[in-house]
Amino acid sequence: MMLALGFFAFSLKTAPYQQLRRVSSARAPRNAPVGQRPTGQFVGPGDDKITLSGTLYPELTGGPSTLKTLREMMLTGKAYVLLDGLGNVMGNWSIETVSETKSNFLQDGTARKITFELSIIREPDEASVLGDLKIEDAKRS
């Protein structure tokens, strides 16, 4: 397993990505006092985004059904726990976008090559996670 988002495992047989790009930011609004250079004040973490991109060869790896699963996960609007290949928990992440480009078609229109890009964004640690009960829900029981 290369990475797992909830119950979906990125591996050589599902969606092997060739590139992982992570962009993290901090929120630091800038003020410009009269006669001085603008200064920033750290007010907390900003967005943390990961973009995975790769190529699927349906005869060898995952194909359209793999991307369909990721789209269905995206449409739930839920955050999923992200684990790296070593089992380290990276927090709760939701799927922002799923894109694909199909090429090298067979006679019936089946693509032999599918390039994909998946963007996920970090959610607060207290975000609702699939299979996780919130404390308020447990108190009601």
Side-chain angles (χ1 to χ4, degrees), residues 32-46:
V34 176
Q36 298 179 14
R37 293 183 185 271
T39 59
Q41 179 181 1
F42 178 77
V43 295

Side-chain angles (χ1 to χ4, degrees), residues 48-101:
D48 196 1
K49 295 182 179 185
I50 292 178
T51 302
L52 304 170
S53 56
T55 303
L56 304 178
Y57 297 96
E59 297 157 345
L60 304 171
T61 63
S65 62
T66 300
L67 297 175
K68 180 182 177 189
T69 300
L70 291 168
R71 279 195 173 88
E72 289 171 354
M73 289 172 66
M74 176 183 66
L75 294 176
T76 67
K78 294 186 185 235
Y80 299 92
V81 175
L82 184 67
L83 300 171
D84 68 12
L86 299 174
N88 298 313
V89 177
M90 298 175 68
N92 301 328
W93 298 71
S94 62
I95 300 174
E96 206 171 40
T97 61
V98 178
S99 64
E100 67 184 277
T101 303

Side-chain angles (χ1 to χ4, degrees), residues 2-3 10 17-23 49-54 82-85 90 93 118 120:
M2 301 166 72
L3 198 66
F10 291 87
Y17 54 87
Q18 284 79 43
Q19 188 173 35
L20 184 152
R21 181 173 184 249
R22 185 172 183 175
V23 177
K49 295 182 179 185
I50 292 178
T51 302
L52 304 170
S53 56
L82 184 67
L83 300 171
D84 68 12
M90 298 175 68
W93 298 71
L118 174 80
I120 58 176

Side-chain angles (χ1 to χ4, degrees), residues 79 91-94 121-129:
N92 301 328
W93 298 71
S94 62
I121 188 165
R122 178 89 186 256
E123 298 294 346
D125 289 334
E126 56 276 347
S128 176
V129 177

Side-chain angles (χ1 to χ4, degrees), residues 107-120:
Q107 195 170 18
D108 66 354
T110 303
R112 296 180 70 203
K113 179 180 177 184
I114 304 170
T115 56
F116 73 93
E117 188 170 280
L118 174 80
S119 295
I120 58 176

